[in-house]
Amino acid sequence: MQKQIIINCDNKQTRVAVLENGKLVEIYLERPVHQRVVGNIYKGVVANVLPGMQAAFVDIGLERNAFLYVDDAFPQANDPGKGRKTIEQILSPGEEIMVQVIKEPFGSKGARLTRQITIPGRHLVLMPTADYTGVSRRIEDEEERERLRQLATQLRPADMGLIVRTVAEGESQEAFEQDLSFLLSLWQRIQQRYEKRTAPCLVYQDLDLIYRIIRDLFTDQIDRLIVDTRYEYEKILETLEVMDSSLKERVELYQGKSPIFDVYGIEAEIERALARTVWLSCGGYLVFDHTEALTVIDVNTGKYIGKTNLADTVLQTNLEAAEEIVRQIRLRDIGGIIIIDFIDMESEEHAQRVLTALTEKIKLDKTKSHVLGMTRLGLVEMTRKKARQGLDAVLQQSCPYCNGRGKVLAADVVCARTERQLRSFLAGLEAEAVLVELHHSVAGLLIGPNASYLRKLEEETGKTIYIRGSDTLHVEKYKILAVGTRSEVKELAFPVAVGERHRVKVEEPHANNPYDGIARISGFVIDVQAGGAYVGEEIEVEILEVAKTFARAKIG
């Protein structure tokens, strides 16, 4: 499998894309306004202890207090009292403690903390508050695992822990010693800062994105690393000179004229990863829906009709879906509980093939994941560790109009609500007239056929009401643009006068007379005689008549 890392840098953000066989599978972004905090070590102050939740809130200097669960509150990972002590026996309000962020803040939730500090290097992870030796689960050769475990055990300082990283496979003792020396020196500096600084404060900040990528992802399994900025290119080479000089020859400086993410098709893939629906090459499609608790992925045959029989059509769609689902999960960085609704399969053999395909593909994901199996309803359950915000949370925000619901009220519902609110407003109004602006779809309903609804509303309220339609106003909102005497409001309500000439765009045929066309000027309806043939075009018109809710015009 060919693997590439593509890096795009500018003064607003840094973006790193990981490609496998030319397909985007992971994207990392870092912007100055959204600084990453996972991996950072803080000197915090316990704000309050919650026995009912067996947790504590800790002030580490961020906008919201961070959360420390009892299982993460032991400074020693192998504390013999773990599981017996309660949170109030471990911590007390006002106490100063060293903590590390293990999960980014999400929405209204603060960051999640641990007191079990880990400091990653190139080949090793130092755990200064643990007494443990481990080897990455991704190293599968048992002989190599045992060699690395023995080597780490020999080098491990007393009362500290070491984990051998995947990139360390095949490495020598000398490489381990060099890495460990750096990590111990770094831990000493962290302790010194902790003693000298006043809580709450940051005592260690993890490396920025590019250098985390070099440390954590850039191994001999990566064929090329391409960066589009000379400064970062030279810094990467300097870093590799110390870290692993053999990889320097795989680093390239991109100097093309077109943006690097466009050249490799990454921009289009990012857009696709933000969509609710993802089409498969076979014609089937996936639908992604997110809730607070889980993500649901639905598989559909779509336009795929197969070549043999229904069972084979379903199988082929599900197999392709399994591969694309894993890619999308990695790309979107979906975490937590994931439910996959594959197309129903009658054959147990086919169901097992799909489950096996999903399980094999998920092994490519470096984030810890578990496929739990298929339920009796045919739903596949899986979990994936959630340590940072997903791609949608980083690149998108909730709609300010629907507040993330994804739907708005129907125009007739808005019309009824608006009429009720207008009645209440007009009941306490001393002025004679009012000018109201609404979305044009609601305005038409409020006016009614031949302005019959509007006349009835005026009779019942005793006010003169002028209506202006708008394409830009949100469908659920309305504005009171003016109140005053009839003559004052009328002057403001009509943006045109008889005899004036205007250039307008015919937007649609007239609902009752398709021979005419409808245009708008500042939301005011213009009925263009014989304009139905010019829908979508701009034409010159002359105003013939101005009525209360519309004007009539002729072409020319």
Side-chain angles (χ1 to χ4, degrees), residues 10-14 29-37 63 104 389 394-395:
D10 58 38
N11 57 2
K12 295 181 180 177
Q13 64 180 348
T14 299
L29 302 99
E30 191 166 82
R31 289 173 284 183
V33 293
H34 296 289
Q35 283 292 328
R36 177 182 184 269
V37 296
E63 183 179 353
E104 295 277 353
Q389 292 180 318
V394 175
L395 297 181

Side-chain angles (χ1 to χ4, degrees), residues 317-368:
T317 304
N318 282 340
L319 287 173
E320 184 177 336
E323 182 175 352
E324 183 63 20
I325 284 169
V326 172
R327 188 172 81 91
Q328 290 292 327
I329 286 173
R330 295 172 64 189
L331 178 53
R332 297 171 186 236
D333 205 5
I334 299 172
I337 301 170
I338 303 170
I339 303 295
I340 305 170
D341 185 9
F342 284 105
I343 304 167
D344 291 341
M345 294 168 284
E346 294 184 2
S347 167
E348 182 64 32
E349 179 191 353
H350 286 184
Q352 191 56 48
R353 282 180 63 183
V354 171
L355 197 60
T356 300
L358 183 71
T359 305
E360 288 299 313
K361 291 296 180 182
I362 208 69
K363 290 179 180 178
L364 298 172
D365 187 7
K366 65 181 183 60
T367 300
K368 192 174 182 180

Side-chain angles (χ1 to χ4, degrees), residues 255-267:
Q255 301 182 75
K257 293 183 179 180
S258 300
I260 189 169
F261 269 29
D262 287 342
V263 171
Y264 286 89
I266 298 169
E267 294 289 9

Side-chain angles (χ1 to χ4, degrees), residues 298-313:
D298 187 32
V299 183
N300 300 273
T301 52
K303 296 178 288 186
Y304 183 52
I305 58 174
K307 295 180 179 179
T308 53
N309 54 56
L310 177 60
D312 285 341
T313 300

